Amino acid sequence: MAQLLKALLSASEKSANIARLWRQEENLFQMLIEEKTGMDKNKKFVQDFKTLADVLIQEVIKHDVGQKFPELKSYIGGEESNKFENGLGETIIVEVCKTKQETAGLLYHILDHSEVAAQLLADIIHQDVVIEDAAAETVTVNIATEAMGIWIDPIDSTNQYIKGKTDVIPIDGIYPYGLKSALVLIGVYDRNTGDPVIGIINEPFYQQDCKTLQWRGHYYWGISYNGTNISSVPRPEPQSSISVVLSSSENENIKQSLSSLCGRKLYYACGAGYKFLCLLTGHVDTYVFSEDTTFKWDSCAPHAILKALGGGILDLAGSLKTKGKQHAELPELKYNKPIQDAMGANQWANQGGLIAFVYRSHAEVILNVLDQVSIN
């Protein structure tokens, strides 16, 4: 188990290195943006971009983890397709090749025949990343990897990653937008039960050196499996009054109701992963989202960490229907089954919305408030 966790942590850190490299090289970065279309597009956004960073990070994680755990290779899924169109109009399948030279050759065609850029990226992709984490080394939980699957969000909050704002002022420790909301999310789930098992959130842009302007990252992990709960994150202390983070696009009725409940402790932020992170770091008590535009790759990793802390992520619509029924258990999100008759990314949407929490009592307060609200 420790070996799987270390492999996932190493893959997340290599991914963070790739994300940082591209943001530091502005000329290179402008070559890497393509607008998503059709079934790949998130209907929440008028424009929904993917970058080669997204696609390549996803393929790097698949490659690195799949090499060490071949039984998982066919069950690693994510947000992005591995097709990318370069500035010359060529559509290319993005993959990590057997050798650094072969990968550089592939990237040369993707990057409009820029040999220097292709070599720079190939060097990072084929670099061994060693993680020294004493707590991860001591993990002794036995997980049946042959029954697991993995969801990847290579760069959650891609739009904020592209905009790259670094001068954002936080409100009570929460950044409403900007580069800090761009995260790498890797979640392991049980293919039989659909339960989240391991979560890793890597924050590539955790802290910037004021002199060199270079970024350093930080990661968080958690395991929840067969009654064992371990996390690198301490459980946040409950606050005297409840606080909530929302998307700015949230339903106006929900905004008004939660504003009455929370007062000035109602916050707004970009990126599903970042809003989950605000819970894990104790900045808010709950995250509520009523729409169906988050997906399994957004929530699997943070869900596993929240479970390790005694929390969880409920299906919002399902919980509102179930609430008040005798002996009924509030439904948590599951990760193993697509939505019937849905197409493309939508088959993996969190269709009923969600409510994330560390303390279940906070979720119950929110559900009591929203039970009186017209969401649709």
Side-chain angles (χ1 to χ4, degrees):
M1 175 57 209
Q3 293 307 308
L4 175 58
L5 178 59
K6 284 182 66 179
L8 295 169
L9 288 171
S10 295
S12 81
E13 190 57 26
K14 183 184 287 189
S15 301
N17 289 340
I18 294 170
R20 283 189 289 265
L21 171 69
W22 274 331
R23 275 281 25 153
Q24 289 162 10
E25 302 287 337
E26 186 60 31
N27 291 336
L28 175 62
F29 184 77
Q30 291 305 319
M31 301 168 67
L32 309 179
I33 303 169
E34 176 184 69
E35 187 175 355
K36 294 183 194 176
T37 58
M39 291 299 178
D40 288 335
K41 187 168 183 175
N42 185 338
K43 62 188 177 182
K44 180 180 175 183
F45 302 107
V46 176
Q47 289 180 305
D48 190 2
F49 292 95
K50 69 179 178 183
T51 68
L52 181 56
D54 284 289
V55 180
L56 196 52
I57 285 171
Q58 183 168 289
E59 294 309 305
V60 163
I61 295 170
K62 285 182 180 180
H63 174 268
D64 287 10
V65 176
Q67 271 200 329
K68 294 176 181 175
F69 297 90
E71 68 274 22
L72 287 170
K73 194 167 186 178
S74 298
Y75 301 100
I76 302 175
E79 180 177 12
E80 308 296 348
S81 72
N82 65 340
K83 293 181 180 179
F84 199 89
E85 185 174 310
N86 66 11
L88 304 175
E90 301 168 321
T91 299
I92 298 165
I93 302 296
V94 180
E95 61 182 352
V96 177
C97 302
K98 289 184 179 179
T99 68
K100 183 164 61 176
Q101 289 72 27
E102 288 176 304
T103 299
L106 175 70
L107 291 170
Y108 173 78
H109 291 289
I110 296 172
L111 297 170
D112 302 344
H113 300 171
S114 172
E115 187 173 347
V116 173
Q119 192 61 55
L120 188 65
L121 289 170
D123 286 344
I124 287 187
I125 290 164
H126 286 271
Q127 186 179 57
D128 286 332
V129 176
V130 178
I131 295 292
E132 300 293 338
D133 188 317
E137 293 280 2
T138 63
V139 172
T140 57
V141 185
N142 290 318
I143 291 180
T145 53
E146 67 276 5
M148 298 294 131
I150 298 177
W151 283 118
I152 305 165
D153 194 340
I155 299 181
D156 187 59
S157 199
T158 303
N159 284 284
Q160 294 302 313
Y161 177 67
I162 291 170
K163 292 174 183 176
K165 292 284 187 183
T166 60
D167 57 351
V168 181
I169 298 173
I171 301 170
D172 295 340
I174 297 170
Y175 289 82
Y177 59 93
L179 190 56
K180 286 181 71 69
S181 63
L183 307 174
V184 178
L185 309 174
I186 306 176
V188 178
Y189 65 95
D190 187 314
R191 299 203 320 272
N192 296 317
T193 65
D195 293 334
V197 174
I198 304 173
I200 293 169
I201 298 176
N202 196 305
E203 193 175 3
F205 306 100
Y206 176 69
Q207 193 171 64
Q208 189 176 33
D209 187 292
C210 60
K211 293 180 180 178
T212 66
L213 300 183
Q214 299 294 303
W215 287 94
R216 71 177 182 88
H218 188 75
Y219 63 75
Y220 313 79
W221 58 264
I223 300 169
S224 181
Y225 186 68
N226 281 353
T228 298
N229 294 293
I230 312 167
S231 177
S232 67
V233 190
R235 193 183 198 201
E237 292 295 325
Q239 303 300 312
S240 56
S241 58
I242 197 165
S243 56
V244 178
V245 65
L246 301 173
S247 295
S248 59
S249 62
E250 186 54 81
N251 178 292
E252 288 300 324
N253 291 335
I254 289 179
K255 286 182 182 180
Q256 290 176 17
S257 296
L258 293 180
S259 178
S260 298
L261 173 69
C262 302
R264 63 173 298 275
K265 288 194 171 184
L266 181 64
Y267 303 97
Y268 296 91
C270 292
Y274 180 70
K275 288 190 277 288
F276 288 123
L277 184 58
C278 288
L279 268 77
L280 297 172
T281 52
H283 288 107
V284 293
D285 299 311
T286 59
Y287 162 33
V288 177
F289 190 64
S290 66
E291 300 176 39
D292 59 356
T293 50
T294 68
F295 299 85
K296 302 308 178 189
W297 45 80
D298 293 311
S299 57
C300 186
H303 195 168
I305 304 174
L306 283 167
K307 283 193 72 176
L309 297 176
I313 307 178
L314 300 174
D315 178 300
L316 177 59
S319 295
L320 288 171
K321 289 178 183 176
T322 304
K323 182 180 166 293
K325 294 182 180 178
Q326 194 171 13
H327 306 305
E329 193 168 321
L330 297 177
E332 294 229 4
L333 297 186
K334 300 288 185 179
Y335 295 91
N336 57 339
K337 294 181 181 178
I339 298 169
Q340 193 171 2
D341 299 327
M343 300 290 288
N346 291 328
Q347 65 185 315
W348 298 108
N350 294 319
Q351 192 175 32
L354 59 86
I355 175 168
F357 60 93
V358 175
Y359 293 90
R360 182 168 288 267
S361 59
H362 292 146
E364 290 169 352
V365 170
I366 298 296
L367 287 171
N368 285 334
V369 171
L370 297 186
D371 198 29
Q372 312 300 319
V373 175
S374 173
I375 292 179
N376 297 321

